[in-house]
Every structure is written in C-alpha cells, then in structure tokens.
Amino acid sequence: MNSFMETSLRSFCSTHDIFGDSKAVFVHFERKPESKEKQYGFNSGIIFGHIVYRTQQNEVKSSAPLMLKNMKPRPFCQDYILVQYFNEIYFYTRALPLFQQLGDLQKQLPKFYDSYIHSSLSTTDVILIYEDLRAKGFRDHERFSFLDLEHLTLMVRALGQFHSYSYCAKSQNPLEFSALEKWFNYAEAELIRTRLNYFQLFAQIGLNRLRADPRYSSHIAKVEKILENADALVLQVNTMEREEPMSVLCHGDFLRGNVMFRYENNQPVDVKLIDMATCRIASPVIDLSLVLYLNADQQTRSQHWDHLIDAYYEGLHQVFGGIGVPSKESILKEFTTKALYGYLIASHFLPSLIEMDRGNITFSLDYLPAEYVDCPQNEIPDTVFADMIKRWCNDDVKVEALADVLRDMIDRHFI
C-alpha cells in the first residue's frame, strides 16, 4: 500500500462513523486473499478488503467489506482516465442526491463512501471507497461479450428504471436536472483530441468485412461516407446541445463489465449498476445501443429485439409510472440517428471482450510496440496505430462480430 492510500484510509477512518465508533483509529487495511476472479479494469486497480481499526476502548475490530478503486498510471491517456474519475465522484455527490429526492435510486447502486485526490506537478492520485457488493451476494457474470436472454432482460429493465429518474427529474425538478450537465464531461473526447481519426480507424474493421458481402454492396458507399467523420459523430452524439424530451443522464458504459448480478437457484434475480465514470446527459440510445451491440449476439438481436426493447420500456414505467417518459416509437426513432455510435464503441471494445472470454486480458493499446507505450497518442505515427489495430483484430470471430453489428443496423434501417 502506497503512502497516499494509507493517508487516505486514515482520514476515512477518522471522519466516517461507519465503524460505529466516531473515534476509531486506523491500524491497517487488510486485503482479502486473492480471488479466483481476475481484475480486468483498464483504467482502475481494484482492491477488496476491510479496515482494521482500534476503538476508543482500545479494541481491535474490522470494518464491513470495502472496495477501493484507484487510478492506474497510463501516461498516454491520463486526462481520459482522470475525467472518468471526476465524473464518478460527481455522479454520487451531485446527481444521486437529486434523484434520491424522487425515489430510492441508491438500491440500484453500490454505496459510495468517499473519494480522496492528491495532485502534484507530475501526477494525480485518486482513490474511491465503496461497499463490497460481493458481501451481499452480487458477482460478475462469467462471460464478457455475449450474455443470455435472462441476463440481458434484467439489464435493460434496470436501465429503464435508471433512466426513469432523469425523466421524472425533468418533470419535477427541471432546473436542478439541467444544472447537472455542467458537472459531467465526455471522457472519449480526450482520446479524440489527442488522436485524429481515432474511431474512424477502428470502424474500418467491420466495414471491410461487409465489402465482401454482396447483400450489402449497395450500402457500402453510404456507410463509408458516415464513417469518414466517425470522430465528429461520436462527439456530436455526446456533446451537442441536449435534445428534449429524450435526453437522460446516461450511464455511458452500460455493458456486462459494469453490472453485477445476484442469483437465486442459479437464476439472476437482481442487478446493480457500477462504475459511473462515463455519465453524461445524452440520448438513452447511448446506453441501449451499447448493451444491445456489445453484450447481445446477432442471433439474440434477431430473435429477441422486441422483447428487450419492451423490457427496457417496462423499466421506464416501473418506478414513477412513466412520468415524463417519451413514447416507445420516439425511442426507436432515436436509433436511426444515434445507433451508429454503438457500432463505433463496439469496434473499439468488442474484440477485447471476445478475447477476455478466451481467458486473455488484451486491449488494443497492448499491441503497441514497446517504444510507443509511454508516448502521448498524438506522437504515435498513423502507420503504427493502424498496424496496432490490424494485429489486435487479426481474428475472424472478432471481425465477423463487428460486421454483424453493421448488418443489423442496416437491416433495421438505422443506417
């Protein structure tokens, strides 16, 4: 444990009465034995354990199970990571209190205790402290990429419930909801600013497969034209002026890696949303397109699309009876202008999710030559960056999965 983490935990122990003793004194943080579950976070290091503390009666006790989330050093995209940490802090300190005035959104989330930040000229350290949801029976799904219908249904229904707080807030507290916008920043904008054509390069993976598919030859030119401005499209969908009445506070990264399930008799019965690092005010299709295109395979989309959309819409009505909720037709219409965002994000992350299901922890940037690992992205030559993507996706399963996303969007007239 580094000195910043120890100092943070001492402060936490002295200022939080979760120990049932306002004069508790920090002794040490005791980590849980290494779990069989590996930690796959790209931006964060996760530590599970509990605080050992001394009471004012000089007794040594332990806190409830905690999860510490600390920022990984990534010199080439430090601003991108830092924005996410501040988004997460602002969600719990700004958005959640507003939503809690309307209903109990906290039950969908882990309890957040505190954050600690230390900045110097050379680096910024951040630690977030949460309850450990695993102590309440929640766990990750064993797959990363393609989930079964039961899990997907639970996810989209919970997503609808989460979005319903935004619609209710806009109806009941419009000025307070509008004020949230200033607190959240779109993290991927940092990648785009430091790397021209960032998403365009990734987007070619699935498009190149479609070039060889005669069923879609008449669509290639249109898709190519759209993808020429892929970076601008990503920014437009996420940073343009809010479009009403559709906009909500999006989770922003709503997929399997950011939810945890609780099971009874091996069946999923509850789900918690975690990792609120990419929250922003935007279209609900930002979240819907991610779960439908990164966590549902093409067979599931073909057979159960209507079921999943209905489950999402049911969630929108379950908490507040549909206050402020737009029509289902309006939400589906959003896909015709926003769904391609889901493909652009899928082209960036879906190959990694597929690789994780094979037991390998790989991200596109892991394929950079060693001499560029610590370079800012704008200093990496285009040829090196393009070769990195080619090596990362030199796999028929990955390429076909991304081509399927484009095929689905074309078949549904989203493109």
Side-chain angles (χ1 to χ4, degrees):
M1 179 181 299
N2 61 39
S3 59
F4 168 66
M5 184 176 293
E6 181 172 342
T7 300
S8 299
L9 291 175
R10 287 184 182 279
S11 177
F12 176 72
C13 192
S14 65
T15 57
H16 289 74
D17 198 20
I18 65 168
F19 311 99
D21 190 326
S22 60
K23 296 184 179 179
V25 177
F26 176 81
V27 177
H28 68 271
F29 186 80
E30 188 170 290
R31 301 189 186 199
K32 283 189 175 180
E34 286 300 320
S35 170
K36 293 181 181 179
E37 298 177 7
K38 297 178 180 178
Q39 296 302 316
Y40 292 92
F42 175 72
N43 300 328
S44 302
I46 305 295
I47 302 172
F48 296 100
H50 54 262
I51 289 176
V52 177
Y53 64 95
R54 192 178 301 278
T55 71
Q56 56 183 323
Q57 288 79 29
N58 210 32
E59 297 175 291
V60 175
K61 294 186 177 182
S62 297
S63 71
L66 299 173
M67 183 191 82
L68 308 186
K69 181 177 179 180
N70 64 300
M71 198 165 76
K72 286 183 178 179
R74 296 275 183 178
F76 48 81
C77 55
Q78 194 76 0
D79 290 343
Y80 162 68
I81 298 173
L82 193 57
V83 164
Q84 294 187 47
Y85 270 80
F86 279 103
N87 281 345
E88 192 157 2
I89 293 168
Y90 293 146
F91 171 80
Y92 280 98
T93 59
R94 302 289 177 176
L96 184 57
L98 170 62
F99 292 150
Q100 282 295 104
Q101 295 174 23
L102 306 171
D104 188 13
L105 179 58
Q106 177 63 68
K107 67 183 180 182
Q108 284 192 269
L109 307 160
K111 185 175 292 184
F112 170 73
Y113 289 120
D114 214 334
S115 61
Y116 295 88
I117 304 168
H118 176 263
S119 293
S120 66
L121 291 176
S122 58
T123 187
T124 298
D125 294 308
V126 184
I127 291 177
L128 308 181
I129 303 178
Y130 291 92
E131 67 172 327
D132 181 0
L133 285 174
R134 300 183 307 172
K136 293 184 174 179
F138 288 85
R139 58 184 171 87
D140 297 331
H141 192 285
E142 61 272 11
R143 288 191 59 85
F144 286 87
S145 54
F146 301 128
L147 277 59
D148 58 66
L149 184 61
E150 285 183 307
H151 287 84
L152 289 168
T153 301
L154 203 59
M155 285 179 67
V156 295
R157 187 175 289 117
L159 180 64
Q161 294 169 359
F162 176 71
H163 285 171
S164 73
Y165 280 83
S166 291
Y167 290 125
C168 184
K170 287 195 292 185
S171 176
Q172 304 292 331
N173 306 98
L175 294 179
E176 290 90 338
F177 181 82
S178 180
L180 290 179
E181 190 166 17
K182 67 182 179 182
W183 294 106
F184 299 101
N185 292 295
Y186 178 51
E188 275 71 15
E190 298 297 329
L191 295 179
I192 294 171
R193 291 189 187 102
T194 58
R195 179 87 221 171
L196 292 177
N197 300 323
Y198 185 88
F199 283 98
Q200 181 182 348
L201 289 169
F202 285 98
Q204 299 303 313
I205 302 167
L207 180 59
N208 288 336
R209 175 59 57 92
L210 252 63
R211 297 181 198 280
D213 191 334
R215 296 173 299 170
Y216 296 91
S217 58
S218 62
H219 298 275
I220 296 298
K222 180 179 180 181
V223 178
E224 280 182 327
K225 185 67 176 177
I226 296 172
L227 294 182
E228 283 179 3
N229 300 302
D231 290 357
L233 174 63
V234 169
L235 287 174
Q236 180 185 27
V237 168
N238 286 282
T239 61
M240 66 187 301
E241 185 175 348
R242 287 194 289 123
E243 295 181 359
E244 297 301 353
M246 297 304 302
S247 64
V248 296
L249 180 65
C250 290
H251 179 285
D253 196 17
F254 189 73
L255 49 127
R256 171 267 178 226
N258 292 326
V259 296
M260 296 181 74
F261 298 95
R262 185 173 62 82
Y263 296 82
E264 292 179 2
N265 300 319
N266 294 320
Q267 299 297 312
V269 294
D270 197 6
V271 62
K272 297 274 191 182
L273 283 61
I274 62 173
D275 198 355
M276 313 304 290
T278 49
C279 285
R280 66 264 196 188
I281 306 293
S283 167
V285 170
I286 296 299
D287 286 338
L288 267 174
S289 65
L290 291 189
V291 68
L292 292 172
Y293 288 116
L294 273 83
N295 278 158
D297 61 18
Q298 184 54 31
Q299 181 177 349
T300 300
R301 287 191 293 266
S302 297
Q303 296 178 357
H304 303 292
W305 177 275
D306 290 341
H307 166 82
L308 292 170
I309 294 297
D310 287 345
Y312 169 75
Y313 204 67
E314 289 168 7
L316 283 175
H317 284 76
Q318 283 179 341
V319 183
F320 303 108
I323 293 176
V325 171
S327 68
K328 187 186 301 182
E329 292 71 27
S330 297
I331 293 171
L332 289 171
K333 187 177 179 181
E334 281 285 283
F335 276 91
T336 62
T337 57
K338 306 293 194 311
L340 192 58
Y341 170 83
Y343 169 70
L344 295 174
I345 301 302
S347 68
H348 191 207
F349 288 111
L350 185 54
S352 286
L353 300 181
I354 292 172
E355 197 65 30
M356 287 177 183
D357 281 330
R358 298 169 177 170
N360 303 317
I361 310 172
T362 62
F363 302 93
S364 58
L365 290 168
D366 292 330
Y367 287 82
L368 272 177
E371 61 267 31
Y372 294 103
V373 167
D374 292 329
C375 287
Q377 292 208 37
N378 59 356
E379 295 181 9
I380 301 173
D382 287 346
T383 53
V384 173
F385 204 82
D387 184 64
M388 173 198 77
I389 297 172
K390 182 178 180 181
R391 292 170 58 211
W392 179 55
C393 283
N394 186 23
D395 182 300
D396 190 65
V397 173
K398 299 175 185 177
V399 174
E400 190 63 20
L402 291 175
D404 273 342
V405 174
L406 282 177
R407 293 185 185 110
D408 187 88
M409 291 182 175
I410 292 170
D411 291 344
R412 296 183 191 281
H413 307 290
F414 294 161
I415 301 178

